[in-house]
Amino acid sequence: MYSAVMGTAERLIESTRDLLWERGYVGTSPKAILERAGAGQGSMYHHFTGKPDLALAAIRRTAEELRAAADAVLDGPGTPYDRVAAYLRRERDVLRGCPVGRLTMDPDVIASDALRAPVEETIGWLRGRLAAVVDEGRRLGQFPAELDPDEIAAAVVATVQGGYVLARASGNPDAFDAGVRGLLALLAPRSPAAPAAD
């Protein structure tokens, strides 16, 4: 599946990333990794100490990719609201779910401090980045001063992760999009109220 130009260690990491997303940790056997990577038996142990070590490298790579994708829109052009909207609307494989968020449902990942750490760090990082954008919007008067940036950031992450669940349950990405539209409607900057007529 992967190019022979790519080194064996890279093929193993990329194969593991795909399999973790598709099957979870328990469902990702060393044999399946080797088959997908087109690697010979024993090559995993040449490059990694075992499946947990390889899974950790794969999870870290996936977390780095998620951070880069989020940074690209949160550092992009536009107002804070525009950037939050761009994050919520960015292209995703909605029916596959979030490759990092899905790991929180994997009991073997959550039971391992080492495997859970990059998942927890990435979600915490994302909440912090979103909170900073929301706080900027408050300071600019775009969002109401009473909004708590940390709570709004948590709501954004929950909307995305919950949207994946709704879409996967219905088999339809429209369920994800409906959640995004609802949250953006709640966050949309309001024009100052017009004075009441006498």
Side-chain angles (χ1 to χ4, degrees):
M1 179 174 180
Y2 295 99
S3 164
V5 175
M6 188 184 288
T8 302
E10 282 296 307
R11 293 199 318 270
L12 289 167
I13 290 170
E14 290 302 315
S15 297
T16 304
R17 289 179 65 199
D18 285 346
L19 288 165
L20 287 172
W21 197 0
E22 293 168 16
R23 304 178 185 182
Y25 185 81
V26 172
T28 299
S29 68
K31 180 180 178 185
I33 293 168
L34 294 171
E35 285 177 0
R36 181 146 322 177
Q41 194 157 2
S43 62
M44 177 189 297
Y45 300 98
H46 176 72
H47 296 284
F48 302 94
T49 59
K51 177 181 164 182
D53 186 37
L54 175 53
L56 180 58
I59 292 169
R60 284 180 175 153
R61 176 78 56 83
T62 298
E64 289 167 11
E65 193 173 271
L66 185 146
R67 288 181 186 209
D71 265 337
V73 292
L74 293 174
D75 287 338
T79 66
Y81 175 83
D82 294 336
R83 292 175 357 244
V84 170
Y87 170 74
L88 286 165
R89 292 178 176 146
R90 77 175 178 79
E91 190 171 331
R92 294 175 167 86
D93 192 347
V94 174
L95 295 180
R96 280 187 82 190
C98 175
V100 172
R102 284 188 69 180
L103 293 170
T104 65
M105 301 304 293
D106 193 313
D108 292 280
V109 171
I110 295 306
S112 164
D113 290 342
L115 296 178
R116 187 181 68 249
V119 174
E120 185 179 359
E121 289 164 9
T122 300
I123 292 171
W125 171 88
L126 180 58
R127 287 180 62 178
R129 285 287 284 118
L130 287 162
V133 174
V134 172
D135 190 48
E136 179 188 346
R138 277 189 346 159
R139 285 185 280 109
L140 294 173
Q142 187 170 33
F143 294 131
E146 65 272 12
L147 285 186
D148 182 309
D150 293 324
E151 290 178 359
I152 299 302
V156 171
V157 173
T159 297
V160 170
Q161 296 303 321
Y164 284 127
V165 171
L166 294 173
R168 286 172 58 83
S170 67
N172 189 336
D174 290 346
F176 181 96
D177 297 338
V180 166
R181 286 192 305 272
L183 180 58
L184 288 175
L186 291 172
L187 291 177
R190 305 287 189 262
S191 300
D198 290 330

